[in-house]
Amino acid sequence: VSVFVDGLKSSFVDALDQTIKSDLITVSEGFTPLPGGAVEATRSAPGVESVLGVAFAEVKVTGASGTDALNAVDPADTERIVNFDWENGGSNALLAQLGTNGAIIERDFATTHGLSTGESFSVTTLDGDDATFRVLGEYRDPQLFTGFVVSNTVYDTLFPDRDVGVILTSFADGTSLDDGKAAVELALKATYPAAKVRSNEEYKDFISTQINQILAIFYVLLAFSVLISLFGVLITLLLAVYERTREIGMMRA
């Protein structure tokens, strides 16, 4: 269990280091979506150069069981902040081609649904709205951008409110991390008090703390299982001694 949880934590932290090029990561305190206006409020803070609000939704792919993750981004800001691990010759140029029906898909999503570049797939939202996308390219990211990625234009047509799950912020040259973070916190404080602004390192520490809490629960369960096992072994030994004592006594008699 320890090895599994530590591997999970390491893979997530490594994914952040490899994929995200932002200086700040902003999420809601309760892991609930933030209003789309928080993106513009962040953009208005002094020293901010690029802001990317990533919206998440669960959709059902036609002909498949279960749901998959739809990620919506602004293509221009995504190229500055996200470093996709492209597969099969893909590049950042594909982001500008997302438009109203394009999608880039994660490799596991492509394997699960048997999709490749140039093919199309249809999805249905939880509210019953349908959409069809054409695969522009593939990338590898099983931790952060699972499922597939579309443009905000598509997201706006499928969902009434453009709430964002996370806001990624990059600073202009010459802006220190402390000054930029203070400016963003001030810009969000009045209207979006639930937004928690963290540097990349602070966010990784936060995630590690959350995973450690899960690990602590597993440790408690493991301790109970060991305790129960010890009682089981003890009872088995006591019964064996008791029965053998009676057997030896009868044989001697």
Side-chain angles (χ1 to χ4, degrees):
V1 171
S2 299
V3 171
F4 169 75
V5 174
D6 188 66
L8 178 65
K9 181 166 56 177
S10 297
S11 63
F12 189 86
V13 170
D14 290 344
L16 282 175
D17 290 334
Q18 296 171 5
T19 305
I20 304 302
K21 297 185 290 185
S22 64
D23 296 299
L24 299 178
I25 299 176
T26 304
V27 296
S28 172
E29 283 283 14
F31 292 101
T32 56
L34 290 167
V39 176
E40 296 306 318
T42 302
R43 200 185 305 274
S44 67
V48 171
E49 182 180 49
S50 300
V51 180
L52 175 64
V54 184
F56 306 103
E58 291 294 322
V59 296
K60 187 179 186 302
V61 178
T62 302
S65 58
T67 59
D68 289 281
L70 177 151
N71 307 275
V73 298
D74 182 297
D77 289 317
T78 302
E79 187 173 353
R80 302 188 189 101
I81 293 179
V82 179
N83 182 32
F84 282 108
D85 181 12
W86 294 103
E87 300 262 326
N88 303 323
S91 68
N92 286 343
L94 296 175
L95 296 171
Q97 303 174 27
L98 288 176
T100 58
N101 67 342
I104 56 174
I105 60 178
E106 207 278 323
R107 188 175 70 179
D108 291 344
F109 178 86
T111 302
T112 300
H113 299 287
L115 296 171
S116 59
T117 302
E119 296 183 338
S120 298
F121 65 98
S122 299
V123 301
T124 303
T125 68
L126 299 182
D127 293 331
D129 296 323
D130 298 321
T132 300
F133 301 104
R134 183 171 61 89
V135 179
L136 302 178
E138 298 178 26
Y139 61 92
R140 176 63 175 164
D141 188 354
Q143 278 81 32
L144 303 181
F145 287 91
T146 60
F148 61 100
V149 177
V150 299
S151 68
N152 283 337
T153 304
V154 174
Y155 190 86
D156 291 341
T157 62
L158 294 176
F159 305 96
D161 300 316
R162 190 198 293 178
D163 295 336
V164 294
V166 60
I167 301 174
L168 306 174
T169 308
S170 292
F171 299 140
D173 294 338
T175 302
S176 68
L177 179 60
D178 292 338
D179 292 342
K181 180 183 176 183
V184 171
E185 287 177 334
L186 183 62
L188 295 174
K189 183 177 180 180
T191 311
Y192 308 100
K196 181 64 176 179
V197 182
R198 297 181 178 91
S199 67
N200 285 18
E201 292 300 322
E202 290 173 338
Y203 188 75
K204 286 187 288 187
D205 291 340
F206 168 73
I207 291 297
S208 296
T209 300
Q210 299 299 311
I211 295 178
N212 287 337
Q213 291 178 357
I214 298 175
L215 180 59
I217 295 175
F218 276 111
Y219 277 149
V220 172
L221 294 176
L222 287 171
F224 275 117
S225 67
V226 170
L227 185 62
I228 293 171
S229 300
L230 289 176
F231 274 110
V233 172
L234 180 62
I235 292 172
T236 301
L237 292 175
L238 289 175
L239 286 175
V241 172
Y242 177 74
E243 293 173 353
R244 182 58 57 86
T245 301
R246 294 174 60 88
E247 178 183 353
I248 293 175
M250 292 179 63
M251 291 177 64
R252 291 187 64 180

